[in-house]
Amino acid sequence: MPTARIFPPLKLLEDVAQRLPDETFSALLKMVHRHSVTGEGVALTDLSGAIAAADAIDEVPGLSITDRYVLVTAPFFTGSRPGSSDYLSRVSVAFARAASTGSDSPVVLRGFEDDAEGDVDGSVSAGGPVPPHPIFGALPYPGVPWADASVPNKAQAIIADLIDRHRALVLYLHLSAWRPSAFPSAAAARQLKERVEQMLDDGLEATHNEKLVAKLRRREAGARINAEEERRRRERPQLWRYIFVALDALVALCLADLAGHKRALQEHESWPALPPSTPAKDGGEKKQTSATTGHSSAEPDPTRPVDAPLRPEAVAAVYLLNPYSLLACMGQSTVLFGHAAAVSSLWLAMSGRRFASIFALALATYLDLYPAVLVIPCALLLRAKASNTDRGVWQAVTSASILLAVFVGCLVALSRDLAGSWDFLDATYGVILFVSDLTPNIGLYWYFFIEIFDEFRTFFLLVFQMFVVVFAVPLTIRFSEHPLFIAQVILMIVATFKSYPSVADVSLYLPFMAMHQELFKYRSPFLAGTLLLYATVLLPLFGGLWTRSSSGNANFFYAATLVAALAQVVLAVDAVRAMARREWDRLHPALRQTRVELVHA
């Protein structure tokens, strides 16, 4: 319970004692302590330690309220933690008896120095030798009484006992100022206190070294176990590493087929021609035009851009050979399983296999949640492939979303049946959605939610997670005829704003950028490319400076993650701007600009 640590004044206790003469001093303190608790669960004072001291001296008769007040307000009684042993009670009772009798003789603490025997007089005499404690007798090592392995946790028990004795000695010295006759010689008091402090220092150092040795031994044992496992792993067939190579090959094949489909669509793309009597924007003489094409039958439309033919093998090579994909494969990242399922869903949707496509997308969603947004391009691809295209865009998206929810629900129910409970949801999807693990990564969440106040966490968590979904709606409205472009931008947004991104997410949208090479002439890639290059270099550099050499801090690494996020945002915005510009040129022939382009065969 929080406490203001306000101790009641002596005058208050004297007034209460006059009104309740039959109550003990301990009962009076309990009454004050009970009334100090406010309705909000905050105590003005915490008298638990003082009550323990008052209970110990209640048996001593003849003490005034002032004497009892001095005893219970001594160190280690007014704090929030009461004494953990009876040493403090022994000291307070000894001084209480001396005060009640008015004796000026030294305060004798029987049994304080030798608890094992119990009958040895442990009084502190002026100038006399300090009797040794029996535990500090025969020591396995000179000056280090902590290495006796025959008694479990013996060192910790001795240190705890010495701490209690040291607290009692500090209390003894404090009360001796109240009764100066308690210690005839201050040197004897300091000698005893310094001896206990030296034992504490030796014990803590020895225990620390013992823990360090044990830690090194555990590390050596772990290294031996790891070496043995590594030897066994090398002896058995290494089939696991080839799974990731096969996943990358599967993704590359699907991307190549998608690129071939994209090339076919681009070849049959409709470009309205110039009106019959409208010249090109750059001027020139009017020519006799054909009513069907809108331009001279002898030459092509000069305002239509000439695009180099798309090569599917080049798209596959962009995925297989880019450094981010190579890092993910060599690191054996399990994100590749979700990527393979997501790209397979797009490929199956392109082929018109509705249930197979949505089930593959359900597998990707089951693994990572965020691929669920790809239901929009999948639905658009399925709608374009279907013979009956009377259904609207949003009807197709809604139908595919319902089917996706059914498949994902079946997979989650199967997981619940295998796990035996729903606890796995909190450890999987709960971590993704609520970002409970703030381990540093290349994303935006971890540093932000470490620094933010808890009362704002829910709001900003909702805002961050909405970024992944909210942009899919305007993209669908504006570019519904280009589902693969929608998939590219969605993958960019997911790689930027997902809670735990990786370099594998960057590697997935790069081949989609290569798939839309007709947009290159509309883009300005210098800024985005430079930022992405800087982030690629700075992330491992600043991460090493922070976690390995301790030359940097978290701000360095998070600054690099901000550069990476900015680079991806600029890439996405530039891609959307380029596609919007190309669509404007395509649909507005009278406003096209004549372009001079070099086409490499």
Side-chain angles (χ1 to χ4, degrees):
M1 178 185 296
T3 175
R5 300 183 181 273
I6 302 175
F7 201 85
L10 175 61
K11 180 62 176 175
L12 173 64
L13 294 177
E14 288 178 344
D15 292 343
V16 175
Q18 289 178 0
R19 296 181 182 182
L20 302 173
D22 296 333
E23 296 291 341
T24 62
F25 188 72
S26 175
L28 298 179
L29 289 179
K30 292 177 182 178
M31 187 182 306
V32 174
H33 178 75
R34 186 168 57 253
H35 286 84
S36 69
V37 179
T38 65
E40 292 78 14
V42 177
L44 298 177
T45 181
D46 185 3
L47 302 179
S48 54
I51 291 172
D55 289 336
I57 63 176
D58 271 344
E59 63 183 19
V60 180
L63 281 178
S64 65
I65 294 294
T66 302
D67 291 339
R68 295 181 186 273
Y69 187 85
V70 171
L71 289 171
V72 300
T73 56
F76 307 114
F77 287 141
T78 59
S80 60
R81 174 191 172 194
S84 58
S85 69
D86 61 345
Y87 294 137
L88 297 175
S89 299
R90 295 183 191 182
V91 173
S92 59
V93 169
F95 274 91
R97 288 174 178 170
S100 65
T101 59
S103 173
D104 291 333
S105 59
V107 176
V108 176
L109 302 178
R110 183 174 299 277
F112 181 78
E113 278 295 318
D114 194 344
D115 293 328
E117 299 297 335
D119 296 331
V120 178
D121 190 348
S123 61
V124 180
S125 58
V130 180
H133 194 283
I135 296 181
F136 309 144
L139 305 178
Y141 302 101
V144 185
W146 320 102
D148 188 357
S150 61
V151 180
N153 300 325
K154 183 175 181 180
Q156 289 80 358
I158 295 175
I159 290 177
D161 181 73
L162 282 175
I163 291 175
D164 292 339
R165 291 174 182 270
H166 186 265
R167 297 173 70 219
L169 285 171
V170 174
L171 176 63
Y172 198 114
L173 292 172
H174 174 80
L175 293 177
S176 66
W178 174 51
R179 298 191 63 82
S181 60
F183 269 151
S185 173
R190 295 192 184 94
Q191 180 185 2
L192 180 60
K193 179 174 176 291
E194 290 173 0
R195 180 175 183 236
V196 175
E197 290 175 349
Q198 184 61 43
M199 288 181 176
L200 271 175
D201 292 340
D202 294 342
L204 291 173
E205 182 179 0
T207 306
H208 175 74
N209 293 336
E210 182 181 351
K211 291 181 179 179
L212 181 60
V213 172
K215 181 179 180 180
L216 292 176
R217 289 177 179 175
R218 289 194 300 269
R219 184 180 299 176
E220 292 176 358
R224 288 195 298 270
I225 294 174
N226 293 336
E228 182 65 20
E229 291 180 353
E230 180 68 17
R231 184 185 62 81
R232 294 177 181 176
R233 186 180 65 84
R234 291 179 178 178
E235 291 177 354
R236 59 176 179 263
Q238 297 297 310
L239 299 178
W240 179 253
R241 65 179 63 178
Y242 298 110
I243 293 179
F244 296 94
V245 178
L247 288 174
D248 271 347
L250 174 63
V251 173
L253 290 174
C254 292
L255 289 172
D257 281 352
L258 288 171
H261 174 72
K262 172 67 172 55
R263 182 177 61 181
L265 292 178
Q266 187 175 343
E267 290 174 353
H268 295 86
E269 193 174 29
S270 173
W271 281 74
L274 288 170
S277 60
T278 303
K281 190 175 181 180
D282 59 343
E285 297 181 356
K286 296 182 181 180
K287 298 182 179 180
Q288 184 66 31
T289 57
S290 170
T292 57
T293 62
H295 55 80
S296 175
S297 58
E299 57 184 57
D301 184 357
T303 62
R304 177 174 178 175
V306 179
D307 300 318
L310 179 62
R311 297 181 178 179
E313 62 273 13
V315 174
V318 168
Y319 175 76
L320 291 175
L321 301 180
N322 76 79
Y324 305 108
S325 179
L326 294 175
L327 285 174
C329 184
M330 290 188 296
Q332 299 181 0
S333 174
T334 54
V335 178
L336 294 178
F337 289 94
H339 288 179
V343 176
S344 298
S345 68
L346 294 172
W347 176 73
L348 292 169
M350 178 200 68
S351 304
R353 304 174 188 176
R354 176 181 176 82
F355 287 95
S357 171
I358 302 301
F359 182 74
L361 186 59
L363 285 176
T365 305
Y366 172 75
L367 294 175
D368 194 23
L369 278 187
Y370 292 107
V373 193
L374 291 175
V375 69
I376 293 178
C378 285
L380 296 177
L381 286 171
L382 290 169
R383 177 177 176 272
K385 191 67 177 180
S387 56
N388 182 14
T389 58
D390 295 336
R391 287 195 308 171
V393 172
W394 295 111
Q395 291 179 346
V397 172
T398 303
S399 175
S401 300
I402 294 174
L403 186 59
L404 174 66
V406 171
F407 282 141
V408 173
C410 292
L411 292 173
V412 172
L414 179 62
S415 298
R416 191 270 175 202
D417 186 60
L418 295 175
S421 67
W422 295 104
D423 295 340
F424 73 95
L425 291 176
D426 185 56
T428 52
Y429 305 132
V431 175
I432 295 174
L433 293 175
F434 302 111
V435 198
S436 57
D437 182 10
L438 297 178
T439 303
N441 53 73
I442 64 173
L444 300 173
Y445 287 64
W446 64 274
Y447 188 88
F448 186 85
F449 286 102
I450 286 176
E451 298 294 334
I452 199 171
F453 293 109
D454 290 339
E455 53 264 31
F456 303 116
R457 177 182 173 88
T458 303
F459 171 75
F460 283 101
L461 190 62
L462 180 63
V463 170
F464 272 58
Q465 297 289 10
M466 282 181 59
F467 271 120
V468 182
V469 183
V470 71
F471 294 108
V473 176
L475 286 172
T476 306
I477 296 174
R478 183 64 182 84
F479 304 113
S480 59
E481 297 181 3
H482 304 278
L484 291 179
F485 177 76
I486 296 177
Q488 171 193 328
V489 180
I490 286 176
L491 290 175
M492 288 179 170
I493 295 172
V494 168
T496 306
F497 293 106
K498 69 185 297 188
S499 52
Y500 299 101
S502 67
V503 294
D505 298 310
V506 180
S507 69
L508 187 58
Y509 65 73
L510 292 180
F512 283 90
M513 292 177 59
M515 200 180 297
H516 294 84
Q517 64 179 17
E518 72 275 9
L519 302 180
F520 290 170
K521 61 178 67 67
Y522 297 95
R523 303 189 65 171
S524 303
F526 177 77
L527 177 60
T530 304
L531 288 173
L532 192 59
L533 178 62
Y534 284 171
T536 304
V537 176
L538 292 179
L539 277 172
L541 179 62
F542 285 166
L545 287 176
W546 176 30
T547 59
R548 296 184 180 274
S549 62
S550 300
S551 300
N553 53 37
N555 297 325
F556 285 62
F557 183 73
Y558 191 65
T561 64
L562 291 177
V563 173
L566 177 62
Q568 296 180 93
V569 169
V570 172
L571 278 175
V573 172
D574 192 33
V576 173
R577 186 194 65 82
M579 178 59 80
R581 177 60 186 275
R582 188 173 190 274
E583 284 294 284
W584 176 268
D585 283 353
R586 184 176 70 87
L587 299 176
H588 298 81
L591 301 177
R592 294 177 197 156
Q593 295 179 356
T594 302
R595 300 177 181 276
V596 179
E597 302 172 11
L598 296 178
V599 179
H600 298 277

